[in-house]
Amino acid sequence: MQKPLIVLGWLLVTLLLVVVITLPISLQVHLVTAVLLIIAMMVIKILRLEGFWRLLLLAFGTAIVLRYAFWRTTSTLPPLEHWGDFIPGFLLYLAEMYCIFMLGLSLFVVSSPLPPRKSTRLRPDDPVPSVDVFVPSYNEDYALLAATLAAAKSMDYPAERLTVWLLDDGGTLEKRNSTNPEAAAAARERYEQLNVLCTDLGVTYLTRDRNEHAKAGNLNNGLSQSKGDLVAVFDADHAPARDFLQETVPYFGRDAQLFLVQTPHFFLNPDPLERNLRTFETMPSENEMFYGVIQRGLDKWNAAFFCGSAALLRREALMQGDGFSGRSITEDCETAIELHATGWNSIYVDKPLIAGLQPATFASFIGQRTRWAQGMMQILLFSFPPFKRGLTIPQRICYLSSTMFWLFPFTRMIFLFAPFCYLFFNLEIFTASGGEFAAYTMTYMLVNLVMQNSLFGRWRWPWISELYEYIQSVHLLTALLSVLRNPSRPTFKVTAKDESVDQSRLSELARPFYLIFLLLLIAVAMTVYKVITEPYRAEITIVVGGWNVFNLIMAGCALGVVSERRETRASRRVDIDRRCEIRGGDGAWTAAVISDVSSGGLAIRLPEGAAGLGRGAPTAVRFTPLSSSEPSELAVFIRSVSNSGKGVMLGCRFMPERATDYRMIADLLYANSAIWQERQRSRQINIGLIRGTLQFLATSVYQTGRGLGYLLRSSVDRRKDAEDRS
C-alpha cells in the first residue's frame, strides 16, 4: 500500500510542477516571482540551512530553470522557414537543453549525498583476507616506481597476507626483442634494473610476452599469476599511506557482495591551471568536487565506480566478470558498470589514503583528459546505461550522468561561437527582447550559480568549472568526434608522469587559444560598430555583445593557463614537523626537526652552531620510520642554508644509495594520511558568489596580460633564433 501512495504523491508533485512552469503569466510577474525565489534561495544559503531547507532551495531553483526551459522552447526559436537563423538557433537550443538535462541528472546524484563514512580499522577478531597489490607500470622512471613500491610494501598489514606486484609493461619480451636496437636495449636495461629493485624491496616483478590490451591486459595478467582474496590497484605515481588497507579491508567482511572500495585521488603537485594561475595552495583542486561530493552522491545509489587507482577490489567478482574490462580505454569505469550490472556492490570512502602526481604540462593534461573523454564516450555507446540490463534505475541515471558529462565540449564551443552568428552575420538565433532576456535568461543563470555554489561551494569556486571546461573543449572536441565516427578506434595512451617545466614557455597547444581570443576581440569591436551604426537594434546588440565579453573574459584567463610557468620540482613540499638527528661535520649527531618534505628532498630545522653543516656538504639524517622501532639513516646533500628565527634551516636533496633508502623517503612523504586530510581541509573554503566572481575577474585581467606577454616574448625569441641561424 505504501509504494502506490509514494508513486501517487510523485505524480501529483509532477502535475503541480507542470502547471506552475506552463502557467501563462506576464513578464513582470515572472520577473518578480523569480527574484523572490532567488532571494529565498540566498537566505537559505547564507544561513547554511540543511535537510529540508536544502531541498527547498533546490526545488525553487528547479522551478525557475524549468520555467526558463519552457519559455525557451515555446517563445525563442527562430521560424523554421528561416533556415539560416533556425539551424544555428536550434543547435544553441540543444546545447542549453543538454545543460538543463545534465543539471537534472546532477541534482538526482548530489542533492543529498551520503555523509563521509566514519573511519574504520581492522579489529583483532576480523578476518584478514590475503591481498595482492598491483602497481601497473609502462614508462615510469626508477625513482618514482621505487617510492611507490616502498610505500605499498610498508602498509600496515600482516606481512604474510600481503604481496606487492610490479606489473611492468615497459620490459615485456616484445619490447626486449624489438627490431629497434635502442628500444630493445632500453627495455632490457629496465627489465634488469627493476628486477633488482623488486628483489631488494621484497616485491614480485612480473611482466608478459606482449603488450596487449594496454592497462586492462596488464592487470589481467597480474590476476592470472596471483591468488589473493583482494586486489589493490595503485598507479605507478600513486603511493599509499600506511593505513590504506586498515581503512578499506574491513568493509569486505561486512558485505559478501561488495566488489569495490574506492578512495579519492590526492595530488602532491598542481595541474597546469593550478600552477600557472598560482591557485594550488589556496583553491580546492579540480578533482575535489568529484571526490568530495559526486562520488558520495553516487555512493548513495550504489553507483560509486572504480577510478583506476587507490581502490581495493574482490578477486571473486573480477574473475566472475572475466577480469578487468578492456573494450574501452577507460577500463576502470567499464569494469565497474559490468560488475554493478551483475549484482555486485561498491562503496566510496571519502578519505585520502594515497598521494600521487598529476600531469604537470598542459599538453599531458589534455592527453589525459582526451583518454577519459574518449573512454567514457565508448562506454556510453557500447553499454548505454539507460538500457544496460542488470542495473537498477538509480544506477542507470548515475552512469548516464557520468558518461554524458563528457559531451560538454560540444556545448562549450556552441556557447563560445554563438554570438558571432549575430555580430558578424546578422543571424537572429535567439528571438527575445532585452527585457525578456533579463527576466528569463539572467534569472536562470543566477539560479544556476546559486545552486552550484550551494552544492559545491567548498569544493569548486565560481566560474572555475567553466574555465576547466573551456580549456579542455578546444582540443577535446575533435577527439570526441573521432569516437563518434569510429567507437573502436581510440587506443590507450599512458599519461606522462613525474614531469617538470624547466623554463617558462608557451604550451605547444596554445595557438588555438590565441586565435579564439583574437576573434573575440574583433567581435567586441563589431559590437561597438553595430551599436553606433544600428542604434535601433542597440538593445539586442548590447545583450549579445555582453555574452561575447563574458567569453572574452574566460578566453583571456585561459591564456594564462597555456602560458607555462617554470617549476622544476615534480611535487610541492608537505609540512610534517618530525623529529630527527643530523650528522655534523665532526661526525656527531645533532637533534633537529624535519619541517617539510617533497619527492626530491626535505627541509631540516636545527639550532644555530651545528658544526660543519654548510651548503654543498653531504651528510645523513637519522629518524625512526613509522613502520619500525629502530632509527635508520638516509643520505642527503645540503643545497641551501638560511636563518630561520633562532635556528638554521637546511634545504637538503635526497641521495638514495640503495633501493631500501626509498622506504625511508616513502615513510616521510607518504606514510601519514592525516597530513593530506589537513591539507585538503585548509583549501576547502566557500568564498561565496560575489567574492568568487570578483576574484575571477581580477585573475582574468592579470592572466590576459601575462598570456599576451608570453606570446610577445615567444615571438621575440623566435625572431632571434631565426637571425642566429641566418
Side-chain angles (χ1 to χ4, degrees):
M1 184 65 182
Q2 186 177 8
K3 188 173 182 179
L5 288 176
I6 293 175
V7 173
L8 179 62
W10 277 110
L11 288 175
L12 290 175
V13 170
T14 302
L15 180 62
L16 179 62
L17 190 59
V18 170
V19 170
V20 169
I21 65 175
T22 59
L23 194 66
I25 57 177
S26 68
L27 187 65
Q28 292 79 8
V29 171
H30 170 82
L31 180 60
V32 171
T33 304
V35 169
L36 290 175
L37 290 178
I38 290 172
I39 291 173
M41 293 170 67
M42 294 295 290
V43 169
I44 294 172
K45 178 182 174 299
I46 291 171
L47 296 179
R48 299 179 181 178
L49 302 177
E50 295 293 335
F52 166 79
W53 296 102
R54 173 188 169 96
L55 296 178
L56 186 64
L57 180 152
L58 298 178
F60 287 162
T62 300
I64 297 175
V65 168
L66 293 179
R67 180 79 187 173
Y68 171 80
F70 177 74
W71 169 76
R72 187 74 173 85
T73 303
T74 59
S75 305
T76 65
L77 288 173
L80 183 59
E81 58 269 19
H82 298 167
W83 60 269
D85 295 332
F86 180 80
I87 292 176
F90 189 65
L91 289 176
L92 176 61
Y93 168 78
L94 290 179
E96 291 189 70
M97 292 305 105
Y98 162 82
C99 292
I100 292 173
F101 180 66
M102 291 305 298
L103 174 63
L105 295 180
S106 177
L107 290 178
F108 176 83
V109 173
V110 303
S111 59
S112 55
L114 288 180
R117 298 175 186 273
K118 293 182 179 180
S119 180
T120 182
R121 307 280 292 190
L122 275 173
R123 297 184 295 254
D125 57 339
D126 282 342
V128 183
S130 56
V131 178
D132 287 312
V133 176
F134 290 169
V135 180
S137 172
Y138 183 73
N139 58 0
E140 296 80 14
D141 67 27
Y142 180 93
L144 182 66
L145 286 171
T148 300
L149 294 171
K153 188 66 178 176
S154 299
M155 286 190 291
D156 183 11
Y157 204 73
E160 68 278 5
R161 306 293 286 168
L162 177 66
T163 306
V164 179
W165 300 74
L166 174 60
L167 308 180
D168 181 31
D169 253 5
T172 58
L173 183 62
E174 178 184 25
K175 284 183 169 291
R176 300 199 305 271
N177 293 333
S178 171
T179 55
N180 182 330
E182 293 181 357
R188 285 194 294 271
E189 181 181 7
R190 174 186 176 88
Y191 176 81
E192 293 166 1
Q193 282 186 337
L194 294 183
N195 258 303
V196 174
L197 170 67
C198 290
T199 300
D200 291 345
L201 291 176
V203 169
T204 304
Y205 178 83
L206 181 66
T207 188
R208 51 186 177 145
D209 291 343
R210 300 179 60 82
N211 297 80
E212 296 178 326
H213 306 298
K215 182 179 177 181
N218 194 10
L219 291 171
N220 285 330
N221 183 56
L223 277 178
S224 69
Q225 300 297 318
S226 58
K227 57 183 180 180
D229 301 314
L230 305 176
V231 175
V233 180
F234 303 117
D235 281 346
D237 58 339
H238 283 185
R242 272 182 51 76
D243 56 348
F244 179 89
L245 294 177
Q246 290 288 334
E247 294 279 358
T248 55
V249 167
Y251 293 103
F252 287 91
R254 302 169 191 174
D255 181 0
Q257 284 299 110
L258 182 66
F259 84 90
L260 169 72
V261 176
Q262 179 66 55
T263 69
H265 295 182
F266 173 81
F267 296 109
L268 296 172
N269 68 315
D271 67 27
L273 185 147
E274 293 169 324
R275 187 187 74 250
N276 296 326
L277 302 191
R278 289 182 172 169
T279 62
F280 182 62
E281 278 76 20
T282 56
M283 186 181 75
S285 289
E286 184 215 10
N287 69 315
E288 289 182 34
M289 185 173 89
F290 174 74
Y291 287 111
V293 183
I294 296 175
Q295 273 282 48
R296 288 197 288 117
L298 295 172
D299 194 20
K300 176 182 178 179
W301 305 109
N302 190 26
F305 60 83
F306 178 35
C307 298
S309 181
L312 190 62
L313 302 100
R314 190 187 297 271
R315 175 182 294 273
E316 179 187 351
L318 289 171
M319 300 309 293
Q320 178 181 310
D322 297 325
F324 294 90
S325 301
R327 190 179 183 190
S328 76
I329 57 174
T330 47
E331 82 296 328
D332 41 17
C333 184
E334 185 186 356
T335 299
I337 194 172
E338 294 299 329
L339 291 178
H340 274 134
T342 55
W344 291 93
N345 302 325
S346 67
I347 66 169
Y348 172 66
V349 175
D350 188 16
K351 180 179 181 180
L353 296 170
I354 64 99
L357 299 176
Q358 54 189 334
T361 67
F362 185 72
S364 58
F365 172 82
I366 292 298
Q368 180 193 64
R369 299 312 164 93
T370 296
R371 179 169 64 83
W372 293 359
Q374 290 183 324
M376 294 303 260
M377 281 303 96
Q378 287 178 311
I379 293 174
L380 182 64
L381 295 172
F382 294 152
S383 300
F384 197 57
F387 298 153
K388 181 70 174 177
R389 297 180 65 179
L391 294 180
T392 64
I393 291 178
Q395 286 175 331
R396 294 169 194 249
I397 295 173
C398 290
Y399 275 109
L400 185 64
S401 176
S402 298
T403 53
M404 281 195 66
F405 164 79
W406 288 97
L407 290 171
F408 71 79
F410 293 101
T411 60
R412 189 57 57 190
M413 289 296 100
I414 290 173
F415 293 150
L416 180 68
F417 292 113
F420 293 178
C421 294
Y422 173 78
L423 294 174
F424 292 123
F425 306 107
N426 284 321
L427 300 178
E428 295 189 10
I429 64 175
F430 193 126
T431 58
S433 66
E436 289 174 323
F437 183 85
Y440 284 96
T441 306
M442 294 302 292
T443 54
Y444 160 71
M445 293 175 63
L446 184 56
V447 159
N448 264 297
L449 286 172
V450 173
M451 287 200 291
Q452 185 183 72
N453 192 251
S454 298
L455 292 170
F456 307 115
R458 280 181 52 207
W459 297 271
R460 181 62 54 83
W461 289 359
W463 308 110
I464 297 300
S465 285
E466 288 75 11
L467 180 59
Y468 268 106
E469 288 185 6
Y470 170 65
I471 64 173
Q472 295 176 76
S473 296
V474 173
H475 291 285
L476 292 192
L477 185 62
T478 55
L480 290 176
L481 288 172
S482 71
V483 178
L484 296 176
R485 286 195 302 267
N486 186 352
S488 300
R489 183 177 181 181
T491 56
F492 189 100
K493 293 182 176 63
V494 177
T495 304
K497 310 289 197 313
D498 200 22
E499 295 177 307
S500 62
V501 182
D502 56 5
Q503 63 180 359
S504 298
R505 60 179 177 83
L506 280 180
S507 169
E508 55 268 41
L509 302 182
R511 180 176 296 180
F513 294 93
Y514 285 93
L515 292 176
I516 291 172
F517 184 79
L518 177 61
L519 287 174
L520 293 170
L521 275 180
I522 295 173
V524 171
M526 195 64 181
T527 302
V528 175
Y529 172 78
K530 290 178 75 71
V531 168
I532 295 173
T533 59
E534 301 175 357
Y536 56 90
R537 304 177 70 181
E539 184 181 39
I540 187 64
T541 302
I542 290 172
V543 169
V544 177
W547 181 358
N548 180 73
V549 168
F550 169 78
N551 288 337
L552 182 67
I553 292 169
M554 195 66 60
C557 200
L559 297 186
V561 177
V562 298
S563 300
E564 308 266 32
R565 294 183 187 271
R566 178 180 182 272
E567 184 167 45
T568 56
R569 284 203 303 260
S571 68
R572 297 290 177 91
R573 294 191 178 275
V574 178
D575 295 333
I576 60 172
D577 198 34
R578 191 160 165 184
R579 293 180 181 178
C580 70
E581 293 179 306
I582 187 167
R583 187 171 59 206
D586 58 358
W589 292 91
T590 301
V593 173
I594 301 172
S595 62
D596 60 59
V597 63
S598 74
S599 59
L602 46 75
I604 299 175
R605 187 175 64 250
L606 71 165
E608 290 188 70
L613 291 176
R615 184 173 181 268
T619 185
V621 61
R622 184 168 66 186
F623 62 91
T624 303
L626 297 180
S627 58
S628 173
S629 58
E630 297 294 327
S632 300
E633 295 183 24
L634 179 63
V636 296
F637 180 83
I638 301 175
R639 300 184 63 183
S640 64
V641 180
S642 60
N643 292 324
S644 175
K646 295 181 180 180
V648 174
M649 186 69 72
L650 304 179
C652 304
R653 184 178 70 230
F654 293 129
M655 300 291 290
E657 299 170 347
R658 54 193 185 278
T660 51
D661 286 345
Y662 287 98
R663 289 180 179 169
M664 303 280 288
I665 297 172
D667 187 85
L668 289 173
L669 186 57
Y670 302 118
N672 188 2
S673 63
I675 296 173
W676 311 335
Q677 296 172 56
E678 180 56 35
R679 187 163 173 174
Q680 272 192 338
R681 282 193 292 266
S682 69
R683 294 184 302 200
Q684 291 175 351
I685 301 171
N686 187 346
I687 63 172
L689 285 174
I690 296 175
R691 181 184 165 195
T693 299
L694 293 175
Q695 183 166 309
F696 184 81
L697 287 172
T699 300
S700 178
V701 171
Y702 174 74
Q703 295 301 331
T704 300
R706 194 175 72 86
L708 294 175
Y710 270 58
L711 178 64
L712 179 62
R713 188 169 64 186
S714 176
S715 300
V716 171
D717 290 343
R718 284 199 302 269
R719 192 179 303 116
K720 287 182 178 179
D721 289 342
E723 291 173 356
D724 291 342
R725 285 195 297 269
S726 62

